[in-house]
Amino acid sequence: MALSYHSQIIEPWGRTPRLPHQVARPQHQDQLPGLIAEASGSGGLLAAGLHRSYGDSGLNPDGLMISMRGLDRFIAFDPATGVLRAEAGVSLDEILRMATPHGWFLPTTPGTRFVTLGGAIANDVHGKNHHRAGSFGRHVRRIGLLRSDAGGLELSAQDRPELFHATLGGLGLTGLIAWAEIALAPIPSTFVDEETVPFANLQEYFRLTAESDGRFEHVSSWIDCSAGGAALGRGVMYRANWSPSGPLTPHAPRQKLQVPVTAPPGLMNRLTLRAFNAAYGGMQRRRQGTARKHYGGAFYPLDAIGGWNRFYGPAGFYQHQFMAPVETQQDAVAEALRTLSAAGQGSFLAVLKSLGPLRSGGLVSFEGPGASLALDFPNRGEATLELLERLDSIVVAAGGKVYPAKDGRMSAATFRAGYPRWRELEALRDPLFSSRFWRRVTHDQ
């Protein structure tokens, strides 16, 4: 029986919107050209991985979708150099379990390891070490790309460099990423020495950041969004370096907990927000000091809870992650926190970190230098959307940008203000490939 497309409801990690798709699930590379050819004349094609994009950059309801998750094979790995070539559907989780016993780690990693290699490239993901390593795309050596108008291509910074860089952070629009070769980073152990440092307000955070970025490889902070006045921006910084010696043991294969059902509407409200922030902040402040942690707990705390996005209820949630340049970062973050407080819609998960000056060359990559603040909001309809638009205004006025991988509703004007090179990506886009996000932010080009 020939492989083809079948109906399926697809939802992003934010669980809104949930939309019907036509999805094909190949298991082998030689099935991909036929699926691309079959998509000709459709409403567009998009590759998908583990659906960890929060909004609609990974959705294509008016066209077709190829799930790459079945293409999860390692092609080549050199344990002496850490160079890995793998199919695009292999997950970061699988890479870590294979590579860490050999003393290699991902060059940078987002807050979840349940992302495919292709997804990490398409969104040019970053981690707590952006100030040292930049984003994922900086560590990609070669890409195998299938285009509807050119067939199979092999890209690198030397071979077809324009298309190579457009594919880094290109939201999967330059063609289908079939495989990639990346350079892993050496590690002396699979543990980090992590220091927990409380700070009283935003001014103290930026002072701590200036002090920490040169001394620590991994730095990020949790912000208590319920605090205001002189305590605006108070929180806890986590700064860590790899432990210089210790075992090379991968993370546990199973998640400790699983959220079995969707939480009832309204569970995440102002009262539970204040209670959560008070309890979490108090617990973290009591942990002040240095502790040795396995990378699994230090880098991926939320991965211990399977389906944690169900806590936000049946309406789902929005994440708003923005960056503001160094010149405006402190004022922009302060104004964003004051706006949340005035709206009475604080965020349960508020993560503040710095983005360094290193760039991947991606045309619409979410890069610095500056400060990045990520915020989660339960979807309360128009009230939440209006708040997010006010945050967008702060970002645009600061000369910053909103992260497309986390977005499901920013306006075309906000996107274009943050990513002025978007037309260059549009010029290099495979004419068959598209997404709901791309149509939304470029529809009146």
Side-chain angles (χ1 to χ4, degrees):
M1 181 178 173
L3 185 66
S4 190
Y5 296 87
H6 299 280
S7 296
Q8 183 179 349
I9 300 294
I10 298 292
E11 65 178 28
W13 189 244
R15 308 193 72 203
T16 182
R18 304 181 186 99
L19 297 170
H21 282 67
Q22 295 292 316
V23 184
R25 298 185 176 280
Q27 300 294 314
H28 302 283
Q29 294 279 338
D30 60 7
Q31 295 173 306
L32 297 175
L35 290 171
I36 292 174
E38 188 177 343
S40 178
S42 69
L45 180 63
L46 187 68
L50 285 163
H51 302 291
R52 282 299 182 120
S53 293
Y54 283 63
D56 59 357
S57 64
L59 299 180
N60 190 36
D62 302 319
L64 302 175
M65 177 175 285
I66 296 178
S67 171
M68 295 296 288
R69 191 63 184 104
L71 297 163
D72 59 353
R73 300 171 186 85
F74 296 115
I75 299 170
F77 174 61
D78 184 345
T81 63
V83 174
L84 168 69
R85 182 176 290 201
E87 291 183 323
V90 72
S91 69
L92 303 190
D93 176 272
E94 291 159 341
I95 292 175
L96 290 172
R97 281 194 274 121
M98 182 279 294
T100 52
H102 297 282
W104 296 98
F105 200 79
L106 295 163
T108 187
T109 177
T112 176
R113 58 184 185 269
F114 298 115
V115 172
T116 62
L117 177 59
I121 294 170
N123 294 286
D124 203 3
V125 298
H126 63 274
K128 298 176 179 178
N129 62 346
H130 192 285
H131 59 289
R132 292 276 189 93
S135 56
F136 198 88
R138 289 192 68 250
H139 310 277
V140 177
R141 291 185 163 204
R142 306 192 76 82
I143 296 172
L145 190 74
L146 295 178
R147 283 184 64 99
S148 66
D149 57 356
L153 303 173
E154 187 166 327
L155 315 176
S156 72
Q158 293 75 40
D159 300 325
R160 302 176 186 269
E162 283 191 348
L163 190 55
F164 174 72
H165 288 110
T167 302
L168 305 177
L171 303 172
L173 299 170
T174 60
L176 191 150
I177 300 173
W179 58 265
E181 184 178 287
I182 62 173
L184 300 178
I187 52 172
S189 74
T190 45
F191 289 78
V192 296
D193 296 320
E194 183 182 84
E195 187 177 357
T196 300
V197 187
F199 50 87
N201 51 42
L202 211 51
Q203 291 77 16
E204 194 170 327
Y205 162 80
F206 281 104
R207 182 186 63 74
L208 265 176
T209 297
E211 169 199 325
S212 302
D213 282 357
R215 296 170 49 211
F216 293 90
E217 183 174 352
H218 308 281
V219 182
S220 70
S221 297
W222 168 80
I223 299 293
D224 179 356
C225 286
S226 65
L232 184 75
R234 75 179 174 195
V236 179
M237 175 176 285
Y238 309 97
R239 52 189 191 182
N241 289 316
W242 288 103
S243 298
S245 62
L248 292 167
T249 52
H251 59 275
R254 293 184 178 178
Q255 294 174 295
K256 294 179 180 177
L257 302 171
Q258 193 74 33
V259 180
V261 297
T262 300
L267 175 65
M268 309 294 253
N269 56 50
R270 189 180 302 186
L271 293 176
T272 55
L273 170 70
R274 286 190 173 279
F276 172 83
N277 279 279
Y280 185 82
M283 180 176 66
Q284 297 304 310
R285 283 188 284 274
R286 287 192 293 276
R287 289 180 175 174
Q288 180 175 355
T290 302
R292 195 169 191 242
K293 285 185 175 180
H294 190 267
Y295 75 80
F299 297 164
Y300 309 109
L302 284 175
D303 280 351
I305 308 172
W308 63 262
N309 54 348
R310 293 177 179 170
F311 281 133
Y312 285 91
F317 70 105
Y318 291 101
Q319 184 165 100
H320 190 280
Q321 182 170 1
F322 73 88
M323 71 77 56
V326 173
E327 298 77 17
T328 59
Q329 60 185 9
Q330 189 161 336
D331 289 342
V333 172
E335 184 61 22
L337 293 176
R338 284 192 289 267
T339 300
L340 297 191
S341 179
Q345 292 198 55
S347 169
F348 284 82
L349 298 174
V351 177
L352 184 58
K353 58 191 174 189
S354 61
L355 301 180
L358 298 174
R359 292 177 176 270
S360 68
L363 298 173
V364 297
S365 287
F366 183 75
E367 296 182 311
S372 165
L373 178 63
L375 304 160
D376 285 357
F377 301 98
N379 178 14
R380 298 194 177 99
E382 283 303 315
T384 305
L385 294 173
E386 289 173 5
L387 170 62
L388 296 173
E389 287 181 10
R390 292 200 291 277
L391 292 176
D392 286 353
S393 298
I394 294 169
V395 175
V396 172
K401 62 188 75 173
V402 178
Y403 194 5
K406 304 293 183 69
D407 179 71
R409 42 87 250 159
M410 80 165 120
S411 70
T414 297
F415 173 74
R416 296 175 189 188
Y419 301 93
R421 300 186 70 185
W422 70 272
R423 288 189 186 277
E424 296 176 57
L425 175 58
E426 172 62 15
L428 291 166
R429 181 174 65 84
D430 186 309
L432 182 60
F433 282 67
S434 186
S435 69
R436 186 176 188 264
F437 172 85
W438 196 249
R439 292 189 288 274
R440 180 163 57 77
V441 298
T442 65
H443 63 90
D444 61 348
Q445 63 177 292

